[in-house]
Amino acid sequence: MAKQNQLSFLAIATLLVIIVSASETLCRPLREEHLFEQHEQWMAVHGRVYKDADEKAKRYEIFKQNVNRINTFNNDKDVGYKLAVNKFADLTNEEFRASYTGYKGRSATGLSSAEAKPFKYANFTATPAVLDWRTKKVVTSVKDQGSCGCCWAFSAVAAMEGITMLKKGKLVSLSEQELVDCDVNGVDQGCEGGLMDSAFKFIISKGGLTTEANYPYQANDGTCSKAKTMNIAASITGYQDVPANDEKALLQAVANQPVSVAIEGSGFSFQFYSGGVFTGSCGTSLDHAVTAVGYGMTTGGTKYWLLKNSWGTGWGESGYMRIQRDVSSKAGLCGLAMEASYPTA
């Protein structure tokens, strides 16, 4: 009887092993099939077409790795922000960095700083606890630079759109393409990168910018259309740099107008940021430009900056990011307090 029980036990154990093994064998292809279908759906949504089967296979593997990494992050970490699959999902981080950033730091360009001028908001103390320039109709809709490294142009234009509205009472979408095509005789080199301060200098020198409608964005380097640039829609008289490594000074500036900000914005968490207050790890190798259009605090007490990006509305919080404010580093999170500037009018 004992022997029969022992044989029965062994038979049941063997059966269980077979079932578990079969289940795992089935689960693996099912998981792969799900990812494959997800990639097909993603391609349809984003209009992605690959040149051949080899390229598609390569992009699928990158997509799969990114999806798995995003899921792991969202499942394993409770850090106050989330990642999500977006239009960058079939790009390696290196590819993303090469095509969707484009800020040239002041030190790398050798451009003299405007910091020597007195900071006009140094004595400003009436900073509200919360501010969102969007609610005051000072910010145009989110734009998309595409795979052209001209974030610098979008940042400069957004800051100029803001000061124009504050001074003239009219919100006008201005032309980034004019900067990409025409501001090419110095530091700024269109899709190959540039600097907001240099863009401000160019705008001042030519007397202003035309509208987006008159000189629409093409997401590539083009030939400057002198005829289009003659129709000036807005102008600035100068620009200033916010004192470096000083989030208090940055707050004083943003409390008065949208401000151009440089950040290290090329990390994996930046690539797939989808919402919440970003508190991720990043350095101070400034490579991307955005626009600070407000600030606030969560119900949990986390202070944040509100940044307008130029990667379309499918990234982040409908094109915006909230990033932690008043961190221990003087440079600010991701170096956002290092090289901020704004136009004057």
Side-chain angles (χ1 to χ4, degrees), residues 13 18 40 54 86 112 140 219 233 242 252 268 324 342:
I18 292 169
E40 291 289 327
D54 288 343
N86 57 28
S112 60
T140 59
V242 178
Q252 290 172 311
F268 183 86
Q324 190 174 13
Y342 54 89

Side-chain angles (χ1 to χ4, degrees), residues 119-122 124 126-134 136 138-139 159 162-163 166 240-243 246-262 290-296 304-308 323 325 336-337 340-343:
F119 177 48
K120 68 182 292 186
Y121 299 125
F124 183 78
T127 53
V130 176
L131 177 67
D132 185 344
W133 283 116
R134 296 175 300 182
K136 302 178 184 296
V138 178
V139 184
I163 194 63
L166 289 168
Q240 284 191 329
D241 291 340
V242 178
D246 189 341
E247 284 198 84
K248 179 185 176 184
L250 183 57
L251 186 73
Q252 290 172 311
V254 176
N256 283 277
Q257 64 183 95
V259 174
S260 289
V261 173
V290 293
T291 314
V293 296
Y295 54 84
Y304 63 82
W305 295 105
L306 177 64
L307 305 179
K308 181 187 183 184
I323 185 170
R325 175 166 60 97
L336 61 81
S341 60
Y342 54 89

Side-chain angles (χ1 to χ4, degrees), residues 263-273 278 311 315 321 334:
I263 55 174
E264 182 180 295
S266 56
F268 183 86
S269 294
F270 246 88
Q271 184 175 349
F272 296 109
Y273 166 80
F278 183 84
W311 292 339
W315 177 89
M321 169 185 261
C334 304

Side-chain angles (χ1 to χ4, degrees), residues 61-100:
E61 285 302 318
I62 295 168
F63 178 88
K64 182 170 67 172
Q65 290 171 16
N66 284 333
V67 170
N68 287 334
R69 190 171 171 185
I70 289 166
N71 290 339
T72 298
F73 178 92
N74 289 338
N75 291 334
D76 294 348
K77 297 185 179 181
D78 182 18
V79 293
Y81 70 98
K82 292 293 184 181
L83 309 182
V85 175
N86 57 28
K87 67 179 180 180
F88 304 129
D90 69 343
L91 299 175
T92 66
N93 184 249
E94 291 73 23
E95 290 171 329
F96 164 76
R97 186 176 307 180
S99 296
Y100 291 91

Side-chain angles (χ1 to χ4, degrees), residues 49-63:
V49 178
Y50 302 117
K51 62 181 180 181
D52 54 36
D54 288 343
E55 178 67 13
K56 183 176 181 180
K58 174 186 173 183
R59 292 297 154 191
Y60 170 67
E61 285 302 318
I62 295 168
F63 178 88

Side-chain angles (χ1 to χ4, degrees), residues 160-328:
M160 184 173 169
E161 289 168 344
I163 194 63
T164 300
M165 172 60 185
L166 289 168
K167 295 294 185 182
K168 304 293 184 181
K170 187 176 182 182
L171 184 62
V172 180
S173 183
L174 300 173
S175 175
E176 293 83 11
Q177 193 65 42
E178 180 178 349
L179 288 174
V180 171
D181 289 355
C182 306
D183 179 17
V184 294
N185 294 318
V187 170
D188 300 336
Q189 293 296 317
C191 294
E192 298 305 310
L195 180 68
M196 290 80 79
D197 284 6
S198 183
F200 294 144
K201 283 187 174 183
F202 171 82
I203 294 165
I204 295 163
S205 70
K206 72 169 295 293
L209 280 181
T210 192
T211 63
E212 181 86 38
N214 183 52
Y215 204 147
Y217 186 62
Q218 302 298 322
N220 55 44
D221 293 316
T223 303
C224 184
S225 172
K226 295 291 179 65
K228 291 179 180 179
T229 67
M230 298 298 288
N231 186 11
I232 292 173
S235 61
I236 56 176
T237 55
Y239 74 95
Q240 284 191 329
D241 291 340
V242 178
N245 303 316
D246 189 341
E247 284 198 84
K248 179 185 176 184
L250 183 57
L251 186 73
Q252 290 172 311
V254 176
N256 283 277
Q257 64 183 95
V259 174
S260 289
V261 173
I263 55 174
E264 182 180 295
S266 56
F268 183 86
S269 294
F270 246 88
Q271 184 175 349
F272 296 109
Y273 166 80
S274 68
V277 177
F278 183 84
T279 56
S281 60
C282 48
T284 55
S285 298
L286 306 179
D287 57 12
H288 188 52
V290 293
T291 314
V293 296
Y295 54 84
M297 183 187 299
T298 66
T299 53
T302 302
K303 294 180 181 179
Y304 63 82
W305 295 105
L306 177 64
L307 305 179
K308 181 187 183 184
N309 204 349
S310 52
W311 292 339
T313 56
W315 177 89
E317 296 179 331
S318 299
Y320 291 87
M321 169 185 261
R322 286 178 295 155
I323 185 170
Q324 190 174 13
R325 175 166 60 97
D326 288 350
V327 297
S328 58

